[in-house]
Structures are given as structure tokens and as C-alpha cells.
Amino acid sequence: MTSRGPLHRVCVCIPTYQERASLPEVLRRVRQAVPDAEVLVVDDASPDGTGELADRIAAADPRVHVLHRPGKEGLGPAYLAAFDWAARRGVDAVVEMDADGSHQPEELPALLAAAEHGPGADVVIGSRWVEGGSVHRWPWHRRLLSVGANTYTRLALGLHVHDATAGFRVYRLPQLTELVAGPVASQGYCFQVDLTRRAVEAGLRVVEVPIAFVERVEGSSKMTGDIVREAVVLVGVWAWQRRTRQLREHLAGRDRSRWHHLEEVT
């Protein structure tokens, strides 16, 4: 298997909305864990002043940057804007992570190492649901929702990934640029599932690294009924498209075999 190259330039992308209380500590820990990485805060015009606070932090730290967006449009568009920003600056990889403290910055070196060591990987997912992964301070219904969503996704889309909804990830460029070259319909957390299935279908090497996920202390979860419904519908559509494509390929292969047989007979 071809070895991937080293990651010289990394950008940690952190979307924010109403994260004023948790952002300073998260940024401090990220800068300590991966001091050579660039950090991009993508703020969707948070009314609590998160963007302005990020600007003040960036003014004192040349490796912290802020991208201001005009309003709240969802996780997918925020990450797409971050990916474009990072790609235009020639980074080797981008990291997705939350600003609420649920993703532990101290685990960043392990995720980046998985992308580099041995054969490396094109996509590294910080996984809650592989051996060694864990979730802390989650009520039983949140655990059930996450496990159920990932099981549904894995079976419907034929994925080998156990935590396709995870938001703590490393993507190599230019592989990431190719994944998002087409339209990305998902707005909420289903964005993570969308990119996972695209990576698997593109034949990229996707690996999972166990992480400890810690429920936020400040603020409230952004998981809503609309986000759950979007995920259920989109995964169903993608599953139907996958089955249809497999059927077409099967029929095309059978037709080719029939013609080859007729040519041999005649």
C-alpha cells in the first residue's frame, strides 16, 4: 500500500455559534496540543459575541484566525467555508472539531499520527464507538440515539465505519477538495455522514481512532428534531441510490456476460 506523505501544515477548523464561554479554553488547549498548527474559528454571527472574542484572541496569536459568516446556516456550510479557506492557504490537512469542549484537544496528536504513520490515512475519524472509545456525561437516550443512528447508517450505506456521525476528524488535501467538489446537500450533523460515504465510495483510506467524548458543560446541544429528520431522510435517499447503482451494475455485468457467451458460441 502506498504511504502517505507527512503533514507539514495543518489547519484546525472550529465552527462556533454561541460558544463564548468555552472557546478561550478550547483554543488554549488546541494551541498547546498542536503548537505548529493554524487554527481557524468560523463564527456564524453569534449574538453572544463569540466572534468578537475570537478576534481579540487572534490579534494576540498569529496562528489563530477568524472567518466571520453573516448568519447561522448550519454545520455543513460552515465547514465548507473553512475547507475553502484552508485549501487556498496550501495546507496538507484540515481538522474538524467542536468548540464546546466535547472533543479533547489533547487527542489531536494521536489523530494526526494515524494519518501519517505506516500507510497513513486520507481520513481519520475520532470514534466514540470503537474499542477504546468512550462517552462521558451523556444520558441514556443520547447514547441510544447515537448508536442507533450509526447502526442505521452503517447498514443502509454498507459502511465499515462505526462512528460516521463523529465530528472530530482529520482530512488530507487534495482528497478533501475532491470530496466536496460536487453539491453538498446536508446542512446539519448529517454532513459528517455525507463526507464519510463519499470518502468510502471514492476508495479513500478511512481509519477510526478511539477518543473520549465529553458532553459540554457550557451552553446547550445544537441537536434538534429537524437535524435528526434530515439525517434519516438523506441516509434513506443515499441508500436507495446505492441499491439502484448496484442493480444497474449487476444488470450491465450480466448483459456483458451474455454477449461474451454468444460471441464464443458463434
Side-chain angles (χ1 to χ4, degrees), residues 117-197:
H117 294 172
D122 303 301
V123 183
V124 178
I125 298 176
S127 180
R128 299 160 291 185
W129 307 121
V130 295
E131 185 176 357
S134 60
V135 173
H136 302 271
R137 295 203 298 265
W138 254 15
W140 68 268
H141 63 274
R142 285 292 303 275
R143 290 174 179 266
L144 182 62
L145 176 63
S146 181
V147 171
N150 276 290
T151 301
Y152 166 59
T153 297
R154 189 166 64 251
L155 295 176
L157 302 181
L159 301 177
H160 63 273
V161 176
H162 292 80
D163 200 352
T165 64
F168 198 12
R169 301 175 171 223
V170 178
Y171 288 99
R172 282 183 176 268
L173 277 83
Q175 290 88 337
L176 174 60
T177 304
E178 296 172 359
L179 292 182
V180 298
V184 180
S186 47
Q187 302 293 306
Y189 288 91
C190 197
F191 176 78
Q192 310 295 8
V193 177
D194 196 356
L195 263 61
T196 303
R197 74 175 184 95

Side-chain angles (χ1 to χ4, degrees), residues 240-257:
W240 177 81
Q241 291 173 341
R242 174 174 174 264
R243 301 301 183 191
T244 302
R245 185 172 60 251
Q246 289 175 334
L247 179 60
R248 285 200 303 265
E249 292 171 353
H250 173 72
L251 293 176
R254 191 170 64 180
D255 288 343
R256 284 193 297 269
S257 297

Side-chain angles (χ1 to χ4, degrees), residues 36-158:
D36 294 330
E38 304 290 330
V39 184
L40 176 65
V41 177
V42 187
D43 187 66
D44 277 8
S46 297
D48 70 345
T50 300
E52 291 77 6
L53 176 59
D55 283 334
R56 292 198 295 272
I57 296 172
D61 188 337
R63 289 196 177 274
V64 177
H65 314 274
V66 186
L67 178 62
H68 293 278
R69 288 162 38 82
K72 189 176 186 223
E73 297 179 346
L75 187 68
Y79 268 130
L80 291 176
F83 296 162
D84 179 68
W85 186 96
R88 285 187 282 108
R89 282 156 180 78
V91 304
D92 300 310
V94 298
V95 175
E96 293 182 357
M97 71 174 293
D98 292 345
D100 59 13
S102 56
H103 298 149
Q104 307 306 294
E106 293 75 20
E107 294 179 318
L108 279 169
L111 269 63
L112 293 169
E116 292 186 291
H117 294 172
D122 303 301
V123 183
V124 178
I125 298 176
S127 180
R128 299 160 291 185
W129 307 121
V130 295
E131 185 176 357
S134 60
V135 173
H136 302 271
R137 295 203 298 265
W138 254 15
W140 68 268
H141 63 274
R142 285 292 303 275
R143 290 174 179 266
L144 182 62
L145 176 63
S146 181
V147 171
N150 276 290
T151 301
Y152 166 59
T153 297
R154 189 166 64 251
L155 295 176
L157 302 181

